[in-house]
Amino acid sequence: MSVDLHHVESGPPDAPPLLLGGSLGTTTAMWEPQVAALSTAFRVIRFDHRGHGGSPVPPGPYTMADLAGDVVALLDRLGLARAHYAGLSIGGMVGQWLAVHHPDRLDRLALLATSPHTGPAGPWLERAALVRAEGTAAVADAVVGRWFTPEFARDRPGDVAVLRAQVAATDPEGYAGCCEAVAGYDVRGGLPGVTAPTLLVAGAEDPSTPPAQHADVIARLLPGAAYTTLPDTAHLVSWQRPDEVNALLLRHLRAGE
């Protein structure tokens, strides 16, 4: 059963709608570096995944179908037949699920630092068990340590602290449930049938989703996708390289106008 996702809107209400789905352990605030730029052209709708931020926290485990179903329900609640979608990490996984299973609800798709299949389920199930036992603060440092390059983290400690606080504040059951959704997720078989025009953006130094094992796979399965790898950038590409990411998103999402 779907839940009513917490969401925040900006931009002209009559502009083309654009959904933004964030990384595991973040809230709508993850997208702050994008809001001003994207709101010039779109009705920007940022949402918290179930179990995150202001969204409800049903008991886990969750599936990717659950997370995507929440987004479909949000579209229905807002009276939107279709929308553009941009997602990072687990948000990009939700976007791929939507593109495969709900293609009638998507216009253009942007996938940032994400994967079509994250590999063995074991590490994700172990992380779920850890946060249920000890809370999300137990993983916050390790998680955010993979989000930025060492140079960025050294020069921008305030940014690191902001993102760490988001992870540490995430409800343990919500975080664990989403880990379990990732553990059971694999859309490789469905991606060749995706019709939504797609943009891929990866960080060349991303230890969470290294491009060679993740974005490159999506690119092979979606040969028509536009694909950019940002140098000297880790996982949270939208935060570490906002100007470049904003320009790529605007160019791709406006291409169909």
Side-chain angles (χ1 to χ4, degrees):
M1 180 180 294
S2 64
V3 302
D4 289 344
L5 297 179
H6 170 256
H7 68 283
V8 179
E9 296 195 34
S10 57
D14 58 346
L18 166 61
L19 294 168
L20 298 179
S23 186
L24 181 64
T26 67
T27 70
T28 59
M30 190 208 87
W31 294 106
E32 286 295 341
Q34 280 63 59
V35 171
L38 297 181
S39 295
T40 62
F42 300 101
R43 175 186 174 184
V44 176
I45 304 163
R46 294 175 283 159
F47 64 86
D48 291 329
H49 299 291
R50 64 167 59 195
H52 286 60
S55 289
V57 189
Y62 311 150
T63 67
M64 205 60 66
D66 293 330
L67 302 185
D70 295 340
V71 176
V72 172
L74 176 61
L75 288 172
D76 290 343
R77 186 152 47 101
L78 296 175
L80 298 172
R82 300 173 65 88
H84 300 308
Y85 183 98
L88 189 146
S89 199
I90 193 174
M93 297 175 200
V94 171
Q96 290 170 79
W97 189 274
L98 290 168
V100 171
H101 296 281
H102 302 279
D104 58 314
R105 307 309 296 266
L106 290 188
D107 285 322
R108 302 181 77 84
L109 177 64
L111 304 174
L112 314 178
T114 191
S115 174
H117 174 56
T118 55
W124 291 100
L125 299 179
E126 291 168 7
R127 194 191 302 190
L130 175 61
V131 298
R132 283 196 176 101
E134 301 183 20
T136 45
V139 300
D141 287 329
V143 167
V144 178
R146 294 189 292 269
W147 284 3
F148 301 115
T149 58
E151 296 78 13
F152 184 92
R154 181 195 64 220
D155 296 340
R156 304 278 290 274
D159 294 58
V160 175
V162 165
L163 274 301
R164 188 201 179 281
Q166 286 186 40
V167 175
T170 302
D171 186 279
E173 182 63 18
Y175 190 99
C178 285
C179 286
E180 289 160 334
V182 174
Y185 156 84
D186 186 351
V187 292
R188 289 173 294 181
L191 284 182
V194 166
T195 57
T198 301
L199 167 70
L200 302 174
V201 182
E205 306 302 323
D206 181 357
S208 295
T209 52
Q213 287 82 47
H214 300 279
D216 286 7
V217 177
I218 301 174
R220 288 196 296 270
L221 295 169
L222 293 177
Y227 182 12
T228 297
T229 300
L230 298 174
D232 304 315
T233 308
H235 189 58
L236 212 66
V237 294
S238 60
W239 196 284
Q240 189 167 354
R241 299 283 186 178
D243 292 342
E244 294 94 326
V245 168
N246 293 346
L248 289 165
L249 289 172
L250 284 168
R251 184 180 309 121
H252 173 69
L253 297 171
R254 299 185 72 172
E257 295 179 0

